[in-house]
Amino acid sequence: METISGYVEHIIFQNSENGYTVLNLMTASEEVTCVGMCKGLSQGENITAQGEYTEHPVYGRQFRLSGFQVTAPKDSVSMERYLASGAVKGVGAALAARIVKKFGDDTFRIIEEEPERLAEVKGISEGKAREIAVQMEEKKDLRDAMVYLQQYGISNALAVRIYETYRLELYSVLRENPYRLAEDISGVGFKMADELAAKIGIHTDSDYRIRSGILYTLSDAVGEGHCYLPVNTLVERAHILLGVAQENIRQQMDNLMMDKKLVIKGECVYAPSYYYAEMNCAVMLRELNVSMAEADNLPSQDEAVRKHLEKLAADLNMELDELQLQAVFQCIRNGIFILSGGPGTGKTTIINMIIRYFESCRLDILLAAPTGRAAKRMTEATGFEARTIHRMLELNSALSDEDSQKVRFERNEDNPLEADVIIIDEMSMVDIRLFQALLKAVIPGTRLILVGDVNQLPSVGPGQVLRDLIESEAFPMVKLQKIFRQAEKSDIIVNAHRINNGQQIALDNKSRDFFMLERNDVNVIYKHLILLIRDKLPGYVQAAPFDIQVLTPMRKGALGCETLNRILQEYLNPPDGRKKEHVAGDTVYREGDKVMQVRNNYQLEWEVVSRYGIPVDSGTGIFNGDMGRILAINEAASLLTVEYDEQKRVNYPFALLEELELSYAVTIHKSQGSEYPAVILPLLSGPKMLFNRNLLYTAVTRARNCVTILGSSGTVRGMIENVSENRRYTALNQRIREICAIAEKENL
């Protein structure tokens, strides 16, 4: 670690959102190009910076900042340079020279203590003198705050955010309750606030600490997919986190409930937003679940509907069995209908018939799915445009994943969707917050048709909406189980159903689309992964190597996606003098790399560009699980360009690369809603809670033409037998039953 000092002669580039900066620093002996996070820094300021010199392949020698401190100018030359830099609005080089000529080395003291004297300088009125003093005071306050916070190990970028949140109140906040930072500032979690509190000297049994720890424990549970925690589970987890007596935790839970920061419903403890999300969904579902027999002037007689459907089926060369016909009937009759079934059971046929039926009745229809890939599949299967749910609801903005509760959709209760029928596919991927936003935009009288496979893994976000809707038994539903003749030709589909039913599958390699390569050496598995992706499978499934996907249960370990991505990148997209690359943390990003967005970013802007480079569409929002390819890396602008499905191009500032991961291999959970020409599953051994039937079923159903398992057949058989799943604490089904019971009493 080296230290250099000087003044900021020129800021070449600065990202206003995250503070990533490229600047020229004039030291006593030379001019140095510095790069790093410098939010709040202005030209002309004197700084002392810590970091190390690096050699950039294009831009040469640079000083990569790890931290810096702003120091006040000490002499008249430094003061004039600072004032002339533009740091103080309304003061240019000529005026700065006159001010310093008048007051010399005493300039800053005059501005701070006797600002009215600035009016003695030609060209400065009393009003302008006050403006200059106010600006200088604000910058001094920020500078003092940064120095104060740096002693506690807080980075400059975070110090600026803390100052912008609290201003001069920050000193009392830190002395009395530093845990407020975890509640008020995005990116500051309990652990960071707890470390800060320990340095400041806050006692471990402080009420503030216990309350913050309880809220953090609930927030952490939401990250695991839970909407609430049972009282005893919450107390036990908080006790392990905080190391304080359980009685103290229970007492503070009561206090948090009184402050409306917790909702306790029986033995369930919620963060308020998730309790009200479940309750609001239940209320809105009840309002939508009405009989539609007389609506829209549709035929109300079963026989008339049947004849209409039979004619449509004949025209479209479709064949519906009795259960499929029943599903279409239910869609016509009811405000809400749930269609569940595995692969090959005819969900797509029913959706197509539903669309054609309502289209023939001249009703407006909207199709949507949770992800871009799922929407694309829906479009290909139906011939009708399907969009992501976010796009259908006209996503406006949110600051970050941490601010997901502030997401704004233009379509809501005040501006509902203009449709008679809305069909949502891949409902197993929809979490409780997205479902709440969807329901707000649907008015009674609109048919809402929810389609999905309840045996898939639940959503990445909190909740298990589809499962809870089915378990509530409050809505019309058809569950498809019969595999149709055409689907029976696919061993992928047949084996998926056998896995789901707990039946062992043939691993004898007599299949055309389902293979088991018994390999017990990790290095041999690496070798065959590369061979399959690069040489064997592309021709077999008529797809590019880029489209063949490795799926793994784990992130860590020899066969986890982190290790596999490093190995696969080396062989599938090796270093090349023509390909630019950028190193961020432990990851090398290279042009041509396959990458995935790993958190929701509601503000990332994308655009679709024509072949002539003209933008033809644009919007905001890239979401957890979206996959794309690196098109370009621009070191001068510190930008990396990724192209996602539907030719959406996104420019990532280097400071946002933590949101991108290589995706030659991804976890099975991240693959939800996607379909690939071929899937390769490296399976040797792993934790029992991960290596279960549900996970294997989801992985197998991601493949369209070919599944290849590399590893141990014993592990595969063990996964089929293992029915253990990570239980999710959700209660949407109970909330629905409560609302239905209340409605029935009111109708009596």
Side-chain angles (χ1 to χ4, degrees):
M1 184 77 69
E2 297 187 56
T3 299
I4 59 175
S5 298
Y7 70 92
V8 180
E9 183 180 54
H10 178 53
I11 290 182
I12 301 168
F13 169 81
Q14 188 168 63
N15 185 306
S16 59
E17 290 185 10
N18 56 46
Y20 182 82
T21 304
V22 180
L23 60 88
N24 289 338
L25 185 72
M26 187 62 72
T27 70
S29 58
E30 62 176 335
E31 183 178 317
V32 181
T33 300
C34 300
V35 295
M37 306 302 258
C38 303
K39 194 166 184 176
L41 190 63
S42 303
Q43 285 184 182
E45 291 192 289
N46 290 268
I47 65 170
T48 298
Q50 299 80 40
E52 57 185 22
Y53 284 100
T54 60
E55 192 68 31
H56 192 278
V58 177
Y59 302 105
R61 186 166 174 260
Q62 295 181 337
F63 190 79
R64 190 165 294 277
L65 292 159
S66 58
F68 73 95
Q69 299 80 42
V70 176
T71 57
K74 297 289 193 301
D75 56 65
S76 58
V77 174
S78 299
M79 292 175 186
E80 181 178 341
R81 187 167 56 222
Y82 176 76
L83 292 172
S85 69
V88 179
K89 189 176 178 182
V91 178
L95 186 54
R98 291 201 298 273
I99 294 171
V100 174
K101 184 177 180 181
K102 174 73 175 176
F103 300 114
D105 290 350
D106 212 21
T107 296
F108 274 32
R109 188 196 66 77
I110 293 291
I111 294 174
E112 291 173 10
E113 298 177 11
E114 304 176 71
E116 68 280 357
R117 290 191 58 193
L118 286 172
E120 298 173 16
V121 177
K122 184 180 177 182
I124 299 180
S125 64
E126 289 185 7
K128 189 163 189 174
R130 285 193 295 271
E131 287 178 14
I132 293 171
V134 167
Q135 288 187 64
M136 290 291 288
E137 185 64 27
E138 286 179 349
K139 288 184 176 293
K140 181 178 181 297
D141 290 341
L142 172 57
R143 195 159 52 238
D144 291 346
M146 291 174 73
V147 170
Y148 174 77
L149 292 169
Q150 281 166 359
Q151 68 180 311
Y152 297 117
I154 293 175
S155 69
N156 291 310
L158 181 55
V160 171
R161 286 164 55 204
I162 294 171
Y163 176 77
E164 289 174 347
T165 301
Y166 300 117
R167 297 289 170 173
L168 296 181
E169 189 190 354
L170 75 87
Y171 301 102
S172 60
V173 168
L174 290 176
R175 281 195 305 270
E176 297 167 13
N177 179 17
Y179 295 97
R180 273 186 61 185
L181 273 65
E183 297 181 38
D184 298 339
I185 300 175
S186 173
V188 178
F190 169 79
K191 292 184 178 179
M192 184 184 292
D194 202 33
E195 289 174 5
L196 180 59
K199 292 175 182 176
I200 291 171
I202 304 293
H203 292 297
T204 56
D205 61 353
S206 156
D207 290 351
Y208 292 129
R209 180 173 185 266
I210 297 172
R211 288 158 67 101
S212 184
I214 292 168
L215 296 177
Y216 170 78
T217 303
L218 266 184
S219 173
D220 198 43
V222 167
E224 298 171 12
H226 304 300
C227 289
Y228 72 86
L229 283 179
V231 172
N232 292 337
T233 302
L234 174 58
V235 170
E236 180 60 28
R237 287 192 181 191
H239 168 67
I240 293 170
L241 173 73
L242 298 167
V244 300
Q246 294 192 6
E247 308 86 72
N248 293 355
I249 294 170
R250 291 181 184 274
Q251 179 184 345
Q252 292 305 325
M253 282 171 55
D254 292 337
N255 292 337
L256 285 166
M257 186 176 67
M258 295 292 289
D259 290 343
K260 298 184 178 178
K261 292 187 175 180
L262 288 184
V263 173
I264 301 179
K265 180 85 172 175
E267 289 298 304
C268 307
V269 185
Y270 288 86
S273 61
Y274 288 97
Y275 173 76
Y276 291 113
E278 286 190 343
M279 184 58 76
N280 291 341
C281 285
V283 171
M284 291 185 285
L285 285 165
R286 172 66 189 173
E287 292 172 352
L288 292 172
N289 190 29
V290 296
S291 172
M292 308 290 283
E294 305 301 326
D296 307 315
N297 297 316
L298 299 184
S300 57
Q301 304 272 330
D302 281 1
E303 195 54 41
V305 174
R306 182 180 287 274
K307 286 181 179 178
H308 192 166
L309 291 173
E310 287 173 352
K311 183 177 185 307
L312 279 175
D315 292 343
L316 297 166
N317 197 26
M318 285 185 185
E319 188 175 331
L320 297 180
D321 67 9
E322 194 58 38
L323 189 60
Q324 290 176 312
L325 274 172
Q326 197 58 236
V328 181
F329 276 128
Q330 296 278 25
C331 289
I332 295 167
R333 293 184 184 127
N334 297 285
I336 293 178
F337 174 68
I338 300 168
L339 177 64
S340 179
T345 56
K347 294 196 303 293
T348 301
T349 300
I350 294 173
I351 293 172
N352 275 314
M353 182 55 71
I354 291 167
I355 292 170
R356 269 64 182 188
Y357 178 84
F358 287 125
E359 184 189 31
S360 71
C361 298
R362 300 186 177 180
L363 299 188
D364 293 325
I365 308 165
L366 291 177
L367 275 61
T371 66
R373 283 183 172 244
K376 184 179 179 182
R377 287 175 58 199
M378 197 178 188
T379 299
E380 292 168 350
T382 64
F384 281 72
E385 182 192 5
R387 293 174 287 174
T388 64
I389 298 173
H390 288 88
R391 200 161 188 207
M392 180 179 73
L393 296 178
E394 298 175 19
L395 173 72
N396 189 302
S397 67
L399 297 177
S400 66
D401 215 18
E402 289 82 2
D403 292 316
S404 59
Q405 295 180 27
K406 301 176 186 175
V407 174
R408 286 200 300 115
F409 292 103
E410 295 298 326
R411 294 292 181 173
N412 50 42
E413 57 269 50
D414 298 320
N415 181 29
L417 292 165
E418 297 166 4
D420 301 302
V421 181
I422 299 172
I423 305 175
I424 307 294
D425 198 8
E426 295 286 358
M427 268 300 298
S428 63
M429 297 178 64
V430 176
D431 64 38
I432 188 68
R433 298 211 67 90
L434 183 57
F435 192 52
Q436 180 184 25
L438 170 66
L439 293 179
K440 284 182 178 180
V442 181
I443 57 173
T446 302
R447 290 174 175 81
L448 181 60
I449 300 164
L450 308 175
V451 184
D453 183 352
V454 74
N455 295 307
Q456 297 282 354
L457 289 169
S459 56
V460 174
Q464 47 184 8
V465 172
L466 182 61
R467 184 179 296 276
D468 278 349
L469 290 175
I470 292 171
E471 290 181 357
S472 74
E473 299 181 339
F475 310 105
M477 186 196 79
V478 167
K479 185 171 183 180
L480 304 170
Q481 293 178 310
K482 174 187 172 184
I483 305 176
F484 281 83
R485 284 194 302 273
Q486 188 174 355
E488 286 178 344
K489 298 175 184 177
S490 166
D491 286 321
I492 296 173
I493 290 174
V494 171
N495 284 342
H497 283 272
R498 290 183 67 84
I499 291 167
N500 191 46
N501 294 328
Q503 301 170 322
Q504 293 296 333
I505 58 177
L507 299 172
D508 53 13
N509 289 336
K510 293 181 180 179
S511 168
R512 289 178 174 271
D513 58 14
F514 202 104
F515 304 100
M516 175 75 219
L517 304 182
E518 191 81 32
R519 304 288 185 271
N520 294 307
D521 186 307
V522 169
N523 290 313
V524 173
I525 290 176
Y526 295 157
K527 176 183 174 182
H528 281 83
L529 277 173
I530 295 158
L531 187 67
L532 286 166
I533 297 170
R534 194 170 58 187
D535 303 324
K536 300 295 185 183
L537 286 176
Y540 189 72
V541 298
Q542 300 300 303
F546 181 87
D547 297 319
I548 295 166
Q549 190 61 52
V550 177
L551 301 181
T552 173
M554 306 168 293
R555 288 190 58 81
K556 305 290 185 181
L559 293 179
C561 60
E562 292 179 1
T563 301
L564 289 174
N565 273 316
R566 286 195 294 271
I567 293 168
L568 293 172
Q569 180 194 42
E570 182 180 346
Y571 287 93
L572 301 179
N573 189 32
D576 183 330
R578 293 168 297 178
K579 295 176 185 174
K580 295 178 183 176
E581 56 184 56
H582 177 78
V583 179
D586 296 329
T587 304
V588 176
Y589 296 93
R590 187 174 296 130
E591 289 177 345
D593 272 339
K594 191 173 177 179
V595 290
M596 173 183 280
Q597 174 80 13
V598 294
R599 67 183 64 163
N600 293 333
N601 188 320
Y602 302 93
Q603 286 197 319
L604 265 179
E605 296 179 355
W606 55 262
E607 66 177 14
V608 177
V609 179
S610 72
R611 59 186 295 184
Y612 303 106
I614 301 170
V616 295
D617 195 8
S618 63
T620 58
I622 298 294
F623 304 104
N624 192 351
D626 287 352
M627 291 176 67
R629 196 167 194 165
I630 298 176
L631 284 186
I633 295 174
N634 186 333
E635 287 285 351
S638 297
L639 291 176
L640 181 150
T641 304
V642 177
E643 184 172 88
Y644 289 100
D645 287 338
E646 302 172 328
Q647 288 76 55
K648 292 180 181 177
R649 292 188 182 182
V650 178
N651 289 322
Y652 285 83
F654 287 168
L656 280 184
L657 292 185
E658 62 185 17
E659 296 188 3
L660 278 182
E661 289 182 357
L662 297 176
S663 62
Y664 298 98
V666 301
T667 61
I668 295 167
H669 218 132
K670 291 282 190 184
S671 72
Q672 283 178 274
S674 297
E675 186 179 74
Y676 311 98
V679 161
I680 306 174
L681 305 175
L683 300 172
L684 264 183
S685 62
K688 184 177 180 182
M689 290 304 292
L690 271 182
F691 279 59
N692 59 38
R693 181 187 301 174
N694 189 222
L695 200 80
L696 181 61
Y697 172 76
T698 300
V700 167
T701 56
R702 298 306 90 207
R704 183 164 62 246
N705 299 324
C706 181
V707 170
T708 305
I709 301 175
L710 274 170
S712 164
S713 55
T715 296
V716 175
R717 294 189 182 98
M719 290 178 77
I720 295 171
E721 292 171 0
N722 182 11
V723 294
S724 65
E725 292 179 41
N726 288 321
R727 179 187 172 187
R728 287 200 171 187
Y729 293 113
T730 67
L732 177 60
N733 52 358
Q734 295 176 39
R735 304 288 89 82
I736 291 169
R737 292 191 197 107
E738 290 170 6
I739 294 299
C740 290
I742 292 169
E744 286 176 14
K745 286 181 181 179
E746 290 176 351
N747 292 332
L748 290 176

